[in-house]
């Protein structure tokens, strides 16, 4: 279904990946704390039939690893969070830091970040290992040093966050509520009112989530996708098993763009699931029609860490020490295409700190493994719940 257009070998393990909202740009965060901005190849390929990824700039952005990256909603800024306890906002064009904040401590100790999100142009959400979810107001002249609100929607870290569609009464048209997964639960939080609903224990770890039209898809450590209609949280969800015989986890989910969904015969929408064994699964949604349609492979050993579609409709996957760009394949065996002639690109370096390559510390390695496969054996010997939310506080 997809064929590899080109691949970018990385000098260190990939920890974060973000795709620009309006341009063919890709930001990468590495275990060494480096951040890179790359330009993806144009639709027209070179004489060898392959594309080239060009590195525009590279910098040692964090003294620890770079845990998460996002672009602002307009793409003007690139925001990163690292294990050095800092969130930095940089100009996308130049890579220069324009503002930064310190991540709040937890019981006097550093609280490494797990997630960044900007669900609206006015808000920045920062989640940490302690389960804190900090809300910053971006309408102020500069990013405030302290969050305006802090919530704890889960007993442990927030593993994914998905903005929900605005209500019919919304005058701004911007999302105000968002769904989060954390440990073995799901929660819905309102930007103004805080945590509104918390689910019962699903007895298996929930790793990922995404919005497809008016449906929310949640992926679990056993490779089960649960699909709910937005607002009908107490209904039993549709289940689609994508984890294979070994039950590999659905570590990351990405919504297939509408036009591509039609071409892939996913009239009711579809998702791409990045799995813990390095494979990428294409999944069709639809009541009674949900199924695994195909599989391609990003990496032989390492989990898929990031997935997305750039503005031209090409898919980008990242994990281990490589990033790949894919396009829709005319034949099912096209993924065997040759990837010789790949380049790391040139570009400028805008390092304000030491640019020496460093290995991750033991503590960072523990955090990395925790993020990839958190408490994998926690639910062994237990029966998984029936899948009905049973939300506390649901009217």
């Amino acid at each position: 279904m997809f064929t590899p257009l080109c691949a970018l070998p990385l000098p260190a393990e990939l920890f974060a990946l973000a795709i620009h909202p309006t341009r063919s740009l890709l930001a990468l965060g590495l275990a060494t704390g480096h951040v890179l901005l790359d330009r993806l190849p144009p639709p027209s390929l070179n004489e060898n039939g392959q594309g080239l990824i060009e590195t525009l700039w590279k910098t040692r952005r964090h003294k620890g690893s770079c845990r998460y990256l996002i672009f602002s909603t307009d793409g003007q800024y690139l925001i990163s969070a690292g294990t050095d306890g800092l969130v930095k906002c940089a100009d996308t064009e130049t890579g220069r830091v324009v503002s930064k904040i310190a991540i709040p401590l937890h019981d006097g100790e550093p609280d490494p970040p797990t997630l960044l999100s900007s669900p609206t142009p006015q808000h920045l959400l920062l989640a940490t290992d302690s389960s804190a979810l900090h809300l910053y107001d971006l309408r102020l002249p500069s990013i405030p040093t302290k969050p305006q609100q802090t919530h704890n929607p889960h007993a442990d870290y927030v593993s994914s966050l998905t903005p929900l569609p605005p209500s019919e009464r919304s005058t701004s048209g911007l999302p105000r509520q968002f769904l989060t997964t954390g440990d073995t639960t799901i929660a819905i939080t309102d930007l103004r009112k805080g945590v509104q609903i918390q689910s019962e224990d699903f007895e298996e770890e929930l790793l990922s989530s995404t919005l497809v039209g008016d449906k929310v898809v949640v992926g679990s450590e056993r490779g089960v996708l649960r699909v709910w209609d937005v607002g009908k949280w107490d209904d039993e969800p549709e289940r689609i098993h994508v984890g294979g015989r070994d039950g590999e986890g659905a570590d990351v989910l990405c919504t297939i763009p509408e036009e591509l969904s039609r071409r892939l015969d996913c009239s009711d929408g579809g998702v791409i699931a990045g799995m813990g064994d390095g494979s990428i699964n294409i999944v069709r949604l639809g009541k009674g029609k949900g199924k695994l349609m195909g599989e391609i492979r990003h990496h032989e050993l390492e989990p898929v860490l990031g997935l997305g579609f750039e503005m031209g409709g090409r898919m980008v996957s990242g994990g281990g020490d490589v990033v790949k760009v894919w396009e829709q394949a005319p034949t099912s065996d096209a993924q065997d295409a040759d990837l010789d002639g790949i380049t790391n690109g040139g570009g400028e370096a805008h390092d304000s700190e030491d640019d020496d390559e460093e290995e991750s510390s033991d503590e960072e390695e523990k955090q990395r493994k925790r993020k990839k496969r958190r408490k994998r054996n926690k639910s062994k010997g237990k029966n998984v719940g029936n899948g009905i939310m049973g939300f506390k506080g649901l009217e």
Side-chain angles (χ1 to χ4, degrees), residues 91-114:
D91 183 276
T92 298
E93 290 292 335
T94 66
R96 303 288 183 185
V97 174
V98 297
S99 61
K100 58 183 177 181
I101 57 174
I103 299 172
L105 300 177
H106 176 67
D107 293 336
E109 297 293 332
D111 195 11
T114 61

Side-chain angles (χ1 to χ4, degrees), residues 2-10 14 16-19 26-28 38 40 53 252 254 272-275 278-281 296-299 302-310 314-327 335 339:
F2 290 91
T3 184
L5 178 64
C6 55
L8 177 66
L10 301 174
L14 181 71
L17 180 152
I19 299 173
L26 178 68
L28 306 174
D38 295 320
L40 298 177
I53 299 176
V252 59
C254 173
I272 306 291
M275 309 301 292
S279 63
I280 300 173
N281 291 335
I296 56 179
R297 181 155 292 279
H298 170 81
H299 202 284
E302 294 293 332
V304 178
L305 181 141
L307 277 176
F309 287 88
E310 53 91 39
R314 295 170 296 183
M315 183 175 72
V316 179
S317 64
D321 58 358
V322 66
V323 169
K324 294 183 179 180
V325 181
W326 308 75
E327 60 182 359
Q335 65 166 305
L339 283 177

Side-chain angles (χ1 to χ4, degrees), residues 246-322:
D246 297 330
E248 284 292 338
D251 286 9
V252 59
L253 291 176
C254 173
T255 302
I256 301 176
E258 186 175 345
E259 182 179 346
L260 182 57
S261 288
R262 289 195 294 267
R263 296 204 301 265
L264 294 175
D265 193 27
C266 300
S267 57
D268 292 325
V271 297
I272 306 291
M275 309 301 292
D277 65 351
S279 63
I280 300 173
N281 291 335
I282 298 92
V283 184
R284 182 174 68 191
L285 303 181
K287 198 67 175 180
K289 298 186 295 182
K291 64 177 291 187
L292 175 62
M293 299 184 64
E295 176 184 304
I296 56 179
R297 181 155 292 279
H298 170 81
H299 202 284
E300 292 299 325
L301 299 173
E302 294 293 332
V304 178
L305 181 141
L307 277 176
F309 287 88
E310 53 91 39
M311 58 170 294
R314 295 170 296 183
M315 183 175 72
V316 179
S317 64
D321 58 358
V322 66

Side-chain angles (χ1 to χ4, degrees), residues 156-287:
D156 206 344
Y157 61 91
V158 176
S159 55
S160 75
L161 185 151
T162 297
L164 298 178
S167 67
E168 296 179 355
R169 294 172 294 180
S170 172
T171 57
S172 67
L174 299 174
R176 198 179 74 179
Q177 293 188 334
F178 47 91
L179 177 144
T180 56
T181 60
D183 198 19
T184 61
T185 60
I186 294 172
I188 294 176
T189 302
D190 189 284
L191 288 173
R192 299 176 183 173
K193 302 176 182 178
V195 180
Q196 300 294 291
I197 301 171
Q198 292 175 312
S199 77
E200 295 178 351
D201 191 343
F202 278 84
E203 297 187 351
E204 69 169 324
E205 195 168 7
L206 305 177
L207 304 175
S208 54
S209 61
T210 191
L211 181 70
V212 184
D214 60 354
K215 300 180 184 296
V216 170
V217 184
V218 175
S220 78
E221 65 173 336
R222 294 178 177 173
V224 176
L225 304 186
R226 292 175 171 86
V227 186
W228 283 274
D229 292 326
V230 173
K232 298 181 180 179
W233 308 117
D234 219 22
D235 292 351
E236 185 169 355
E238 175 191 6
R239 295 188 184 194
I240 307 171
H241 186 79
V242 298
R245 293 182 179 179
D246 297 330
E248 284 292 338
D251 286 9
V252 59
L253 291 176
C254 173
T255 302
I256 301 176
E258 186 175 345
E259 182 179 346
L260 182 57
S261 288
R262 289 195 294 267
R263 296 204 301 265
L264 294 175
D265 193 27
C266 300
S267 57
D268 292 325
V271 297
I272 306 291
M275 309 301 292
D277 65 351
S279 63
I280 300 173
N281 291 335
I282 298 92
V283 184
R284 182 174 68 191
L285 303 181
K287 198 67 175 180

Side-chain angles (χ1 to χ4, degrees), residues 35 37 57-59 61 76 78 89-98 350-352:
V35 173
L37 183 72
W57 54 258
K58 174 184 175 182
T59 181
R61 182 56 28 95
Q76 183 177 357
L78 177 62
C89 180
D91 183 276
T92 298
E93 290 292 335
T94 66
R96 303 288 183 185
V97 174
V98 297
H350 297 304
D351 298 340
S352 55

